[in-house]
Amino acid sequence: MSISSVSHAAFAHVAAPSAGKQADRSHPMSPQDENRVRKTARDFEAMALGEMLQPMFDTVDNSAAPFGGGNAEKQFRSMQVLELGKEVARSGGIGIAHQVYGRMKAMQEQAAQASSIHPSNRTGGYRP
């Protein structure tokens, strides 16, 4: 089983209701919304991983080494670390996206339920 299939299985586990809870299916998220939430959770994990990896790269300076990139390497190091974080998240990550996805999905479902209960919430306008 590959890392990405493990990641997809983790997302599927969050999306499925647990045995003890009854899922509210009166306001399910559309597939497009679920994909956006999933992408946002992965993007968040990528950013968090990049921030966690940055100190590691800050302590190593290979720019003056024989095959180092000099000032250009120093200048673009943060982009390299960000892309490394994206790749780790894309490859299954460390579980942050899984947790964020579950929380974001629950918040979306609560918001949908609240807007159906309170019609004034649908307009988004202020009513004194």
Side-chain angles (χ1 to χ4, degrees):
M1 182 179 273
S2 70
I3 292 176
S4 63
S5 62
V6 170
S7 177
H8 291 298
F11 280 124
H13 172 71
V14 171
S18 63
K21 295 180 182 176
Q22 189 62 269
D24 179 13
R25 294 292 173 202
S26 61
H27 301 287
M29 287 174 47
S30 71
Q32 294 85 6
D33 288 341
E34 283 209 36
N35 287 336
R36 278 190 225 126
V37 169
R38 195 171 275 126
K39 181 186 180 318
T40 302
R42 277 197 195 108
D43 290 347
F44 177 80
E45 181 172 29
M47 185 270 317
L49 286 169
E51 290 297 316
M52 287 191 299
L53 291 170
Q54 187 65 46
M56 180 178 74
F57 283 91
D58 287 344
T59 61
V60 177
D61 183 17
N62 289 332
S63 61
F67 292 103
N71 288 332
E73 184 177 341
K74 287 179 185 177
Q75 189 173 10
F76 291 103
R77 178 68 59 133
S78 63
M79 287 183 183
Q80 178 190 18
V81 174
L82 179 62
E83 289 302 315
L84 181 61
K86 286 180 184 179
E87 191 57 37
V88 171
R90 205 177 358 252
S91 298
I94 59 172
I96 296 171
H98 173 72
Q99 296 296 322
V100 170
Y101 171 79
R103 185 65 185 131
M104 287 176 69
K105 186 171 180 189
M107 290 171 67
Q108 290 288 329
E109 289 172 352
Q110 288 173 352
Q113 186 178 18
S115 69
S116 68
I117 293 171
H118 304 288
S120 63
N121 287 347
R122 289 184 193 161
T123 62
Y126 173 73
R127 292 188 179 180

PDB file of all heavy atoms in Angstrom, residues 24-25 44 55 60 69:
ATOM      1  N   ASP A  24     -25.624  13.773  10.049  1.00  0.00           N
ATOM      2  CA  ASP A  24     -26.677  14.628   9.530  1.00  0.00           C
ATOM      3  C   ASP A  24     -26.503  14.701   8.019  1.00  0.00           C
ATOM      4  O   ASP A  24     -25.624  15.376   7.529  1.00  0.00           O
ATOM      5  CB  ASP A  24     -26.576  16.021  10.157  1.00  0.00           C
ATOM      6  CG  ASP A  24     -27.646  16.961   9.611  1.00  0.00           C
ATOM      7  OD1 ASP A  24     -28.588  16.499   8.951  1.00  0.00           O
ATOM      8  OD2 ASP A  24     -27.520  18.161   9.851  1.00  0.00           O
ATOM      9  N   ARG A  25     -27.339  14.000   7.288  1.00  0.00           N
ATOM     10  CA  ARG A  25     -27.238  13.963   5.836  1.00  0.00           C
ATOM     11  C   ARG A  25     -28.214  14.929   5.181  1.00  0.00           C
ATOM     12  O   ARG A  25     -28.367  14.928   3.976  1.00  0.00           O
ATOM     13  CB  ARG A  25     -27.490  12.542   5.306  1.00  0.00           C
ATOM     14  CG  ARG A  25     -26.424  11.578   5.735  1.00  0.00           C
ATOM     15  CD  ARG A  25     -25.135  11.913   5.075  1.00  0.00           C
ATOM     16  NE  ARG A  25     -24.065  11.082   5.602  1.00  0.00           N
ATOM     17  CZ  ARG A  25     -22.813  11.404   5.534  1.00  0.00           C
ATOM     18  NH1 ARG A  25     -22.426  12.517   4.988  1.00  0.00           N
ATOM     19  NH2 ARG A  25     -21.894  10.609   6.012  1.00  0.00           N
ATOM     20  N   PHE A  44      -2.626  23.497   4.027  1.00  0.00           N
ATOM     21  CA  PHE A  44      -2.279  23.903   5.386  1.00  0.00           C
ATOM     22  C   PHE A  44      -1.159  23.019   5.932  1.00  0.00           C
ATOM     23  O   PHE A  44      -0.198  23.509   6.531  1.00  0.00           O
ATOM     24  CB  PHE A  44      -3.500  23.849   6.305  1.00  0.00           C
ATOM     25  CG  PHE A  44      -3.168  24.200   7.722  1.00  0.00           C
ATOM     26  CD1 PHE A  44      -3.044  25.527   8.101  1.00  0.00           C
ATOM     27  CD2 PHE A  44      -2.958  23.217   8.670  1.00  0.00           C
ATOM     28  CE1 PHE A  44      -2.718  25.866   9.411  1.00  0.00           C
ATOM     29  CE2 PHE A  44      -2.637  23.545   9.978  1.00  0.00           C
ATOM     30  CZ  PHE A  44      -2.516  24.868  10.344  1.00  0.00           C
ATOM     31  N   PRO A  55      13.795  25.811  10.234  1.00  0.00           N
ATOM     32  CA  PRO A  55      14.946  25.907  11.146  1.00  0.00           C
ATOM     33  C   PRO A  55      16.048  24.898  10.831  1.00  0.00           C
ATOM     34  O   PRO A  55      17.225  25.186  11.010  1.00  0.00           O
ATOM     35  CB  PRO A  55      14.345  25.649  12.525  1.00  0.00           C
ATOM     36  CG  PRO A  55      12.911  25.998  12.386  1.00  0.00           C
ATOM     37  CD  PRO A  55      12.542  25.652  10.971  1.00  0.00           C
ATOM     38  N   VAL A  60      22.077  24.902   8.287  1.00  0.00           N
ATOM     39  CA  VAL A  60      23.029  24.344   7.330  1.00  0.00           C
ATOM     40  C   VAL A  60      23.224  25.353   6.211  1.00  0.00           C
ATOM     41  O   VAL A  60      22.282  25.758   5.550  1.00  0.00           O
ATOM     42  CB  VAL A  60      22.504  23.013   6.742  1.00  0.00           C
ATOM     43  CG1 VAL A  60      23.461  22.479   5.700  1.00  0.00           C
ATOM     44  CG2 VAL A  60      22.272  22.011   7.841  1.00  0.00           C
ATOM     45  N   GLY A  69      25.298  27.027  -4.088  1.00  0.00           N
ATOM     46  CA  GLY A  69      24.689  27.980  -5.008  1.00  0.00           C
ATOM     47  C   GLY A  69      24.984  29.426  -4.690  1.00  0.00           C
ATOM     48  O   GLY A  69      24.427  30.317  -5.323  1.00  0.00           O
TER      49      GLY A  69
END
